[in-house]
């Protein structure tokens, strides 16, 4: 007769501890909850895809997609006019190390000069940490580059996951989210997020078009890159609520005792 009581007591204590953690992490709010759900969903998607790649389940589809983007009579010739191939080379540069480092440095300097030094350090850590994760994953999986078609540009590292796709997701999604929080107008917020997502997608598509990555490489890069960006978003929200990182979203001045004399409250 005592076991049910003990079970109820233990269950109640576990529930109270779980509820305390839930509230401490602010998972009753939309932002933290959505970001954590994205981390778990995208992270699972990456490891599930990595398993399928390791078993060879994606090989047929990878080959089919890659060949569908080439002239059957000449596999060195991507489909479309010459200017499209040149444009894809330009677009793929958006995900290069040089471009990501330049944009990250520019954002960090801007944030530091605007008085958000801890946010600047956080952005630097987020992008730098993502680059480290990308390098470790490439060394771990060590998948060879596609040899089905000639490459449209030089490559030097392993194929899985796509570093360009991953780093563009980390950098552009993180910066787009940050800038969207600074901007108050919803239309501009939406524009920034659309631009960040579009640039990430275009970089991944360019890697497949140029024949330097299998489509599964790019999908994996998008998954782990977006998961890392979502994790950084979650951590940033926690740090901001603790006051350890400045909130990049400026709060408008409100009426009250602290209002400047002589200013009228708009009606």
């Amino acid at each position: 007769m005592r076991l049910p009581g003990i079970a109820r007591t233990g269950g109640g204590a576990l529930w109270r501890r779980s509820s305390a953690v839930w509230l401490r992490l602010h998972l009753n709010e939309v932002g933290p909850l959505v970001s954590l759900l994205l981390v778990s969903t995208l992270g699972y998607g990456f490891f599930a895809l990595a398993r399928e790649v390791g078993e060879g389940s994606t090989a047929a589809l990878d080959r089919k997609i890659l060949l569908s983007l080439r002239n059957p009579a000449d596999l060195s010739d991507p489909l479309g006019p010459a200017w499209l191939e040149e444009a894809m080379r330009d677009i793929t540069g958006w995900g290069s190390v040089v471009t990501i480092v330049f944009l990250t440095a520019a954002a960090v300097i801007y944030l530091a000069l605007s008085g958000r030094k801890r946010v600047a350090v956080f952005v630097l850590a987020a992008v730098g940490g993502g680059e480290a994760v990308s390098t470790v994953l490439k060394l771990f999986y060590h998948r060879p580059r596609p040899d089905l078609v000639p490459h449209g540009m030089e490559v030097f590292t392993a194929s899985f996951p796509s570093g360009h796709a991953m780093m563009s997701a980390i950098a552009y999604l993180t910066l787009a989210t940050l800038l969207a929080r600074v901007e108050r107008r919803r239309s501009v917020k939406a524009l920034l997020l659309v631009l960040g997502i579009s640039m990430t997608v275009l970089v991944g598509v360019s890697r497949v078009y140029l024949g330097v990555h299998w489509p599964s490489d790019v999908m994996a890069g998008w998954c782990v890159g977006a998961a890392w960006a979502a994790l950084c978003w979650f951590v940033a929200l926690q740090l901001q609520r603790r006051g350890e990182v400045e909130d990049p979203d400026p709060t408008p001045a409100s009426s009250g005792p602290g209002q400047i004399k002589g200013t009228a409250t708009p009606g």
Side-chain angles (χ1 to χ4, degrees):
M1 293 297 294
R2 295 181 61 189
L3 288 177
I6 294 174
R8 285 196 298 271
T9 303
L14 179 62
W15 173 258
R16 287 192 296 273
R17 286 196 293 269
S18 301
S19 300
V21 172
W22 182 276
L23 294 175
R24 189 178 303 117
L25 295 178
H26 303 277
L27 295 180
N28 56 323
E29 301 174 16
V30 174
L33 181 60
V34 170
S35 60
L36 206 56
L37 287 174
L38 286 173
V39 172
S40 57
T41 302
L42 293 167
Y44 173 80
F46 169 75
F47 287 110
L49 182 57
R51 184 180 65 249
E52 295 297 318
V53 169
E55 295 174 353
S57 303
T58 65
L61 183 58
D62 277 339
R63 292 173 61 90
K64 183 177 181 179
I65 294 175
L66 212 58
L67 288 174
S68 69
L69 298 174
R70 296 281 166 153
N71 181 354
D74 181 7
L75 294 182
S76 65
D77 179 26
L79 293 179
W83 64 262
L84 179 59
E85 184 176 356
E86 189 63 27
M88 284 297 178
R89 289 195 186 95
D90 292 338
I91 290 173
T92 208
W94 298 348
S96 68
V97 173
V98 173
T99 302
I100 297 298
V101 168
F102 177 82
L103 290 178
T104 301
V108 167
I109 293 172
Y110 163 75
L111 289 168
L113 293 177
S114 62
R116 300 183 179 95
K117 294 182 180 179
R118 286 176 290 180
V119 176
V121 172
F122 181 83
V123 170
L124 185 62
V127 178
E131 178 62 36
V133 170
S134 175
T135 301
V136 170
L137 290 175
K138 281 180 173 290
L139 292 174
F140 179 79
Y141 290 104
H142 202 65
R143 187 187 193 186
R145 293 279 180 166
D147 56 1
L148 188 62
V149 298
H151 296 167
M153 60 187 307
E154 292 293 328
V155 289
F156 307 98
T157 59
S159 191
F160 186 92
S162 167
H164 278 62
M166 177 178 171
M167 291 310 301
S168 60
I170 291 173
Y172 296 130
L173 295 182
T174 299
L175 293 176
T177 303
L178 181 67
L179 293 174
R181 294 199 65 198
V182 173
E183 179 59 51
R184 297 177 187 173
R185 291 168 293 182
R186 291 185 179 180
S187 58
V188 180
K189 288 177 182 286
L191 174 63
L192 291 169
L193 294 175
V194 168
L195 287 175
I197 294 172
S198 299
M199 293 179 73
T200 300
V201 171
L202 286 172
V203 168
V205 170
S206 72
R207 302 304 283 172
V208 178
Y209 181 85
L210 294 172
V212 295
H213 273 295
W214 299 106
S216 54
D217 297 336
V218 171
M219 287 297 298
W222 282 338
C223 282
V224 70
W228 183 265
L231 177 62
C232 292
W233 179 26
F234 176 79
V235 172
L237 291 175
Q238 303 303 318
L239 294 177
Q240 287 164 7
R241 282 169 172 78
R242 297 176 186 176
E244 297 177 17
V245 169
E246 305 96 341
D247 190 339
D249 189 5
T251 55
S254 57
S255 60
Q259 187 177 8
I260 300 174
K261 290 184 179 182
T263 58
T265 304

